[in-house]
Amino acid sequence: MVDSSSKQTKVTSSHWGAFEVDVEGDRIVATRPFSHDPHPTPIPGILPAAVHHRTRVAHPSIRRGWLEKRKRDGRGSDEFVALPWDEALDIAATEIDRVRREYGNKAIFGGSYGWSSAGRFHHAQSQAHRFLNSIGGYVASFGSYSTGCAQSIMPHVFGANFLQLLYEHQDGWQTIHDHTQTLVMFGGINPKNSQVSMGGVTEHETAGWFHRFAAKDMRCINIGPQRIDAPEGCEWIPVRPASDTALMLALAHVLESEGLTNRDFLARCTVGFERFRPYLMGETDGQPKSPEWAAPLCGVDPDTTRNLARRMASTRTLVTVAWSLQRGEHGEQPYWMSAVLSAMLGQIGLPGGGVGYGYGAIGGVGKSLIGLGGMTFSQLTNPVETVIPVARIGDMLRNPGQPYDFNGRREPYPDIRLIYWAGGNPYHHHQDLNALHEAWQKPETVIVNEPWWTATAKRADIVFPATTPYEREDIGRSNLDDYLFHMPRLIPPVGEARDDYAIFAGLAERLGVGAVFTEGRSAADWLSLLYEEYRSLAVPKGVEVPDLEELRARNWIRLPIRAEGPNRTLFAPFRENPEASPLGTPSGKIEIFSETIDAFGYDDCPGHPVWLPPSEWLGAATVAAPLHLVSPQPGDKLHSQFESALADREGARPETLVMHPGDATVRGIRTGDLVRVFNTRGACRARASVSEDIHPGVVALPTGAWFGDPGGNIDPDGNPNVLTKDVGTSRLGQGCSAHTALVDVARLEA
Ligand SMILES: Nc1nc2c(c(=O)[nH]1)N[C@H]1C(S)=C(S)[C@@H](COP(=O)(O)OP(=O)(O)OC[C@H]3O[C@@H](n4cnc5c(=O)[nH]c(N)nc54)[C@H](O)[C@@H]3O)O[C@H]1N2
Ligand SMILES: Nc1nc2c(c(=O)[nH]1)N[C@H]1C(S)=C(S)[C@@H](COP(=O)(O)OP(=O)(O)OC[C@H]3O[C@@H](n4cnc5c(=O)[nH]c(N)nc54)[C@H](O)[C@@H]3O)O[C@H]1N2
Ligand SMILES: [Mo]
């Protein structure tokens, strides 16, 4: 037990990096930056208030309407009844058993998407998947909200798993520093976003690299709707959201018209240029994709486009693409087209040249490390084969049995009767939340493990209070980081919270599979076992890792795993000899035209990249919805985590909406005004911030505010997902289309 008079300071790790925590008795009282972090985030500052906040789930809780009458309506408005653990676990286990007996495990949705917390063993989603597999399986989901569309399209283009490509093979920052002369950043590279990385990023380096780029006169050009998407000092070419493909086509058109295309590279390393070229030059549709054609679409004047294309062809150029570009309808196109543009420049495979994805999105991208692997809690195998694209949950609930297309296959949506969620907040992350709220009434039962009363917990039938990482022992490590942490249990569990492992072990026991789930081990046993596996995997890589006792005593260590010598260059061996080191595509080369995709016959993603305007963007603006809403990641926290404590801060809520002076003036809006942001899908409040740093016609509202209680006609704290459109990127990728939304804004009286 924790001595109630004790004081201690320890370091712990999180998705936003390491930090020091001061504990007095059973309370976390303060946090401080970690001494080795050159650019710490403000996020840990909220922790002391959040971890003890009144919105923590104190007891196992069951919604009254469900408990008494198994009523489905009332999710989000009913009161909850607190029950003893044993009773609540009995009820949940009986219900899970009923559903699997009556409908089979294919009626249980356990995708359970979400970031939960860092820490290798107590990873909520892995725990949930292992439990559900031990009871016969569940309907799973493919991909992430982050990169779902890219994960589908890019293997067709480069023949590789997209995540491996960007985490393990893309050029490192040092390579970029040493070789790149022109850095063309679609969607910017935002140090605010690279403060975060799955499993943690200890030394936040991105801002520092940009200082070094400036010192050597690298030209860094941010192409996107907001100046602040790149560090200060970068050039800015403002473009309308969703128009990047038009601009990329125009850049390609300049290369081709001015003899700047690298024919040798296209011939050696790509296939299908001859099928794409007639479209580019307008031979197929009578419309050359020239800078003049693109100008009214993207808002970039033709001279700027021409000069940029010439510069890109005459210097070592790296094109980078933020993940946000594929988080919108037809998000496949800018991703594919950026690869084609870079292939035409012919610099793919040269150090500091070519193309890269997600620099800045995640702090680990661009770090070259020796991967150690291990510390992975087995999820067992899932006997149910049904997998939906992660962002299609609303469609799945609305359309059971209805067929849908996804990356060349056509399947019916499963008929879901029970949802189990641990470690995610769909009422934060999903699009068109008012529509989700309706679809969410369909399943018979919703079970959620959560530390806080989030909008998702409030819309569940059974809520189990989960511990946070500060209430349990774990190990913090990430393949994208060179530090290793013992994450000590700092305080006892708040309220009656239990670890996800204990919750699932309790359910598994009741369902007769206790031994399958736990293998007879306690959490401490698992930690030792996983840690020893990790240690032994490090040995052949020549890396010595202390034993667990020593790590406990030292709290953290820095691992000698920074890759030495010449830095990493994406596709260097392939460029060198495409026959000897072919890509994993059907042709072994970069596919400018894909026979596979062409054979799918999708008009929303044909055989080569094309300009396809989304259903909502400035080119389709209406009187009722004249402004394009982008909803980036919040700078002050991770998604919706710690929201309730942040919202207590003076002036923090509603969330800030950035808008252009021209758009503000005609609406009589000034900085600091309360506004209503609305469209036909919903409305939310926000606090206006008027700025020249955003493209006219665009408004930006970060994600992160919790969705309000049902019944109100305006979401009080500013959750942009009451406004976004719930539609797949295309039949190919079926990713989330968070950035596809037109809205209007009006001043609210105080
Ligand atoms: N409009 C719009 N929407 C978006 C995006 C966008 O750009 N625009 N971005 C999308 C993207 S990329 C993402 S990744 C998603 C993020 O969406 P999520 O990953 O769902 O967001 P989080 O707030 O991180 O949710 C994690 C939840 O897990 C809980 N949790 C933390 N630790 C534990 C634990 O140990 N056990 C349990 N049981 N629970 C725990 C937290 O309290 C929190 O409620 O949002 C997506 N939504
Ligand atoms: N501090 C913090 N950092 C985070 C997170 C967090 O919650 N907090 N979340 C993490 C997660 S899960 C993810 S997936 C990554 C996401 O990383 P990204 O997807 O790269 O980042 P976003 O913040 O969603 O968007 C970046 C910018 O893209 C611009 N943009 C939007 N649409 C378009 C477009 O059509 N064209 C162009 N050119 N630009 C556009 C917007 O102005 C926006 O500010 O961030 C990670 N980093
Ligand atoms: Mo994400």
Side-chain angles (χ1 to χ4, degrees):
M1 276 317 313
V2 180
D3 171 2
S4 63
S5 63
S6 66
K7 282 189 186 181
Q8 58 165 335
T9 298
K10 286 280 186 183
V11 170
T12 194
S13 167
S14 70
H15 293 310
W16 51 89
F19 55 97
E20 290 179 11
V21 190
D22 290 348
V23 180
E24 279 183 31
D26 58 7
R27 291 190 76 84
I28 291 177
V29 293
T31 62
R32 267 182 313 280
F34 182 54
S35 51
H36 290 243
D37 185 351
H39 186 210
T41 91
I43 302 174
I46 328 169
L47 174 66
V51 79
H52 301 290
H53 200 262
R54 61 181 183 281
T55 54
R56 283 297 297 268
V57 181
H59 315 282
S61 301
I62 302 194
R63 189 169 64 79
R64 187 177 291 285
W66 187 91
L67 182 64
E68 292 172 356
K69 300 210 177 80
R70 293 295 187 271
K71 273 168 64 174
R72 297 187 211 180
D73 56 332
R75 287 188 183 128
S77 47
D78 259 5
E79 61 170 8
F80 280 84
V81 181
L83 289 176
W85 267 107
D86 276 343
E87 216 174 300
L89 287 169
D90 286 346
I91 293 171
T94 306
E95 176 61 4
I96 292 168
D97 200 38
R98 179 191 72 82
V99 170
R100 69 173 175 163
R101 277 173 204 281
E102 279 182 31
Y103 307 104
N105 284 66
K106 64 181 190 319
I108 300 175
F109 182 69
S112 194
Y113 180 78
W115 270 58
S116 62
S117 293
R120 292 303 300 175
F121 176 66
H122 294 285
H123 180 246
Q125 201 185 65
S126 310
Q127 296 281 350
H129 291 168
R130 181 178 170 99
F131 162 68
L132 292 170
N133 284 335
S134 72
I135 63 157
Y138 63 96
V139 172
S141 55
F142 169 84
S144 63
Y145 279 72
S146 320
T147 59
C149 163
Q151 284 172 265
S152 298
I153 181 80
M154 297 318 281
H156 292 292
V157 180
F158 287 132
N161 174 298
F162 178 68
L163 298 180
Q164 261 171 356
L165 204 75
L166 72 120
Y167 294 135
E168 294 170 24
H169 301 289
Q170 278 184 188
D171 293 20
W173 288 116
Q174 185 69 48
T175 311
I176 297 172
H177 170 269
D178 293 349
H179 299 277
T180 306
Q181 295 167 301
T182 310
L183 184 64
V184 180
M185 306 173 284
F186 286 91
I189 288 181
N190 196 325
K192 165 248 326 166
N193 283 31
S194 51
Q195 297 284 54
V196 160
S197 200
M198 302 75 127
V201 48
T202 307
E203 295 180 19
H204 293 106
E205 293 174 16
T206 310
W209 281 112
F210 273 83
H211 290 136
R212 296 182 62 191
F213 297 166
K216 65 177 289 262
D217 287 334
M218 186 195 296
R219 271 185 73 181
C220 300
I221 304 165
N222 166 23
I223 301 181
Q226 296 198 80
R227 184 194 294 277
I228 52 103
D229 286 330
E232 233 172 281
C234 295
E235 298 165 45
W236 181 36
I237 300 180
V239 295
R240 292 161 139 197
S243 72
D244 307 80
T245 308
L247 180 58
M248 291 175 192
L249 283 163
L251 292 165
H253 189 273
V254 177
L255 299 181
E256 188 58 13
S257 329
E258 300 191 2
L260 300 173
T261 306
N262 186 328
R263 297 268 160 203
D264 171 58
F265 183 84
L266 290 184
R268 285 197 324 117
C269 298
T270 72
V271 293
F273 184 68
E274 71 292 347
R275 311 231 10 212
F276 167 72
R277 189 183 179 282
Y279 168 78
L280 180 68
M281 305 314 284
E283 290 154 18
T284 43
D285 59 0
Q287 177 57 70
K289 309 302 173 298
S290 63
E292 284 71 19
W293 163 79
L297 301 173
C298 57
V300 179
D301 80 83
D303 282 346
T304 303
T305 307
R306 279 206 172 81
N307 289 335
L308 179 62
R310 290 169 190 152
R311 161 104 197 168
M312 289 167 81
S314 61
T315 57
R316 183 62 57 83
T317 296
L318 180 66
V319 174
T320 68
V321 193
W323 290 349
S324 54
L325 274 77
Q326 48 88 63
R327 223 178 287 120
E329 248 179 279
H330 310 311
E332 293 81 5
Q333 302 310 317
Y335 262 53
W336 198 353
M337 188 54 214
S338 60
V340 172
L341 174 63
S342 305
M344 290 172 70
L345 286 165
Q347 300 187 26
I348 293 175
L350 295 178
V355 64
Y357 302 91
Y359 287 100
I362 290 290
V365 175
K367 292 202 177 193
S368 302
L369 304 172
I370 300 164
L372 294 185
M375 281 296 294
T376 304
F377 186 45
S378 164
Q379 303 186 3
L380 308 175
T381 43
N382 189 348
V384 174
E385 282 174 3
T386 312
V387 178
I388 63 155
V390 68
R392 300 277 47 83
I393 176 172
D395 286 348
M396 172 189 76
L397 294 174
R398 280 184 289 269
N399 305 302
Q402 293 303 306
Y404 70 100
D405 288 299
F406 174 43
N407 206 1
R409 59 172 228 225
R410 189 172 176 80
E411 275 177 30
Y413 280 119
D415 187 358
I416 296 302
R417 306 294 171 135
L418 185 146
I419 294 178
Y420 206 128
W421 221 292
N425 188 0
Y427 278 93
H428 154 70
H429 68 232
H430 194 63
Q431 286 56 64
D432 197 352
L433 289 178
N434 291 313
L436 179 68
H437 182 68
E438 276 183 29
W440 196 257
Q441 310 303 318
K442 291 207 170 181
E444 288 156 34
T445 304
V446 179
I447 310 178
V448 168
N449 297 2
E450 225 331 307
W452 284 275
W453 279 111
T454 61
T456 303
K458 286 186 183 174
R459 283 163 180 79
D461 303 315
I462 302 176
V463 182
F464 290 120
T467 52
T468 67
Y470 321 100
E471 297 151 53
R472 60 198 184 210
E473 185 187 26
D474 213 335
I475 303 290
R477 79 137 193 103
S478 155
N479 270 337
L480 306 175
D481 196 45
D482 52 347
Y483 285 74
L484 177 68
F485 296 89
H486 176 246
M487 298 168 66
R489 179 194 199 232
L490 296 163
I491 53 170
V494 171
E496 291 184 48
R498 288 187 182 173
D499 301 345
D500 291 290
Y501 181 67
I503 298 169
F504 289 126
L507 291 172
E509 183 70 33
R510 285 166 173 77
L511 289 161
V513 290
V516 179
F517 180 74
T518 66
E519 295 178 28
R521 293 191 184 91
S522 68
D525 294 338
W526 276 110
L527 213 56
S528 306
L529 184 78
L530 296 177
Y531 189 76
E532 281 314 313
E533 274 172 7
Y534 167 74
R535 273 187 85 205
S536 62
L537 285 171
V539 174
K541 307 247 165 105
V543 179
E544 208 179 310
V545 178
D547 67 24
L548 188 53
E549 253 342 283
E550 188 184 337
L551 185 69
R552 274 198 186 99
R554 289 169 64 180
N555 198 174
W556 60 272
I557 60 163
R558 186 163 180 203
L559 296 162
I561 55 169
R562 292 251 168 179
E564 303 291 338
N567 224 304
R568 204 165 64 187
T569 299
L570 180 65
F571 296 135
F574 164 70
R575 179 196 180 89
E576 189 73 23
N577 189 341
E579 271 65 45
S581 306
L583 301 182
T585 52
S587 60
K589 302 199 171 172
I590 298 168
E591 303 221 335
I592 293 174
F593 185 95
S594 162
E595 299 286 353
T596 311
I597 294 179
D598 188 53
F600 294 160
Y602 298 154
D603 52 0
D604 54 0
C605 190
H608 62 71
V610 290
W611 161 246
L612 287 172
S615 57
E616 295 187 25
W617 74 299
L618 285 176
T622 62
V623 176
L627 304 171
H628 192 135
L629 172 78
V630 293
S631 43
Q633 314 296 319
D636 49 8
K637 62 189 202 315
L638 175 67
H639 313 141
S640 71
Q641 302 200 25
F642 302 166
E643 166 66 15
S644 51
L646 185 84
D648 285 348
R649 290 184 179 172
E650 178 90 31
R653 287 293 172 265
E655 183 55 272
T656 302
L657 176 90
V658 181
M659 64 192 302
H660 190 268
D663 300 315
T665 308
V666 294
R667 291 170 175 80
I669 294 168
R670 288 190 290 193
T671 293
D673 284 351
L674 270 185
V675 295
R676 178 169 173 263
V677 194
F678 59 98
N679 61 20
T680 53
R681 290 179 289 270
C684 68
R685 297 197 317 159
R687 180 84 59 187
S689 169
V690 181
S691 167
E692 296 275 357
D693 290 344
I694 192 162
H695 192 288
V698 183
V699 292
L701 180 66
T703 63
W706 280 357
F707 182 50
D709 294 332
N713 57 10
I714 181 163
D715 186 65
D717 287 348
N719 184 322
N721 279 324
V722 299
L723 303 158
T724 52
K725 191 167 178 181
D726 182 12
V727 59
T729 51
S730 80
R731 285 183 284 169
L732 186 118
Q734 292 286 17
C736 91
S737 294
H739 289 302
T740 301
L742 286 170
V743 300
D744 202 355
V745 179
R747 194 163 163 264
L748 274 177
E749 296 312 318

